[in-house]
Amino acid sequence: LADTLPPGPSLDALTGAADNPRGLSDNEMLGAISAVRRQQAHAEWMELRHVAAFARLQEERFEASKSRPERQRYHEGEFGAEELHFQLNISRQAARAKMDMALNLDDRLPRVFAGMRDGRIDAAKARHIHQFTAPLDERKAAIADTILAEAAPDLTEKSVYAKAKRVCYKLDPELFDRL
């Protein structure tokens, strides 16, 4: 049953009910492990969805603050990455990278992001896809999204890295020659 349920409260309740994994059969344990990984990917999607919303809010506040006629030393929304850095106890660079990834997944890679929501693509695989699709234009990113969202669930993290690199290079070899 744990192998077939989508991520969410029912699957969480089922995997949480197995307080003593040693009482499970091998197949039941493997099913529970797979279920927990789907739950984890779903939780990563939820986090990135909220990070994307936070990043957009900060951008909107920054633009609104810049347009005010009075002189300001700092603009509202200017330090979103710093706020996230403090909240998550990660570096400023990691916070900025998380915001960029969340926005790219939400805005330009909807199929990959849906794969995270459905528990089929984890954050590590999504990070590799983001890394290679970020420099692409909208049209090419959409093509990469379709190809990589279909392939990623069945690949290892290392294979997703290699496939994302290959796909994006084929879509825009000149761009990747400059990188």
Side-chain angles (χ1 to χ4, degrees):
L1 184 60
D3 283 342
T4 59
L5 283 176
S10 297
L11 186 59
D12 193 41
L14 183 63
T15 56
D19 287 340
N20 182 9
R22 294 183 67 136
L24 301 175
S25 71
D26 289 358
N27 285 341
E28 290 170 332
M29 270 192 248
L30 291 172
I33 292 166
S34 176
V36 169
R37 288 180 59 98
R38 286 196 318 278
Q39 287 288 88
Q40 181 179 354
H42 181 78
E44 292 165 339
W45 166 78
M46 287 180 14
E47 177 185 354
L48 288 171
R49 186 177 63 151
H50 285 86
V51 169
F54 176 75
R56 272 194 206 87
L57 179 63
Q58 297 308 304
E59 288 173 356
E60 291 166 8
R61 287 179 175 161
F62 180 70
E63 290 304 318
S65 180
K66 279 190 344 185
S67 66
R68 293 190 190 119
E70 66 272 5
R71 186 179 160 119
Q72 300 172 8
R73 185 170 186 181
Y74 300 108
H75 295 283
E76 188 178 353
E78 185 174 358
F79 300 105
E82 284 76 7
E83 291 181 50
L84 193 61
H85 141 74
F86 284 116
Q87 183 66 35
L88 300 181
N89 197 24
I90 59 178
S91 72
R92 286 178 183 83
Q93 294 82 6
R96 181 73 253 162
K98 187 177 280 284
M99 291 169 75
D100 290 343
M101 178 178 160
L103 289 170
N104 191 36
L105 286 166
D106 197 33
D107 294 342
R108 297 171 11 111
L109 303 171
R111 289 174 182 83
V112 171
F113 212 30
M116 290 185 74
R117 179 198 64 218
D118 298 341
R120 295 179 297 109
I121 299 173
D122 64 27
K125 291 177 181 181
R127 189 175 303 104
H128 294 312
I129 294 169
H130 156 69
Q131 172 187 354
F132 289 108
T133 59
L136 297 176
D137 65 35
E138 298 292 324
R139 184 183 67 78
K140 292 173 184 171
I143 294 168
D145 179 44
T146 300
I147 294 167
L148 296 169
E150 184 176 320
D154 298 324
L155 299 174
T156 65
E157 181 184 343
K158 185 177 180 180
S159 295
V160 168
Y161 176 91
K163 178 127 181 128
K165 185 176 183 179
R166 267 193 323 277
V167 166
C168 294
Y169 181 80
K170 285 179 183 177
L171 289 170
D172 198 338
E174 292 173 6
L175 175 68
F176 281 87
D177 284 343
R178 293 189 304 263
L179 295 178

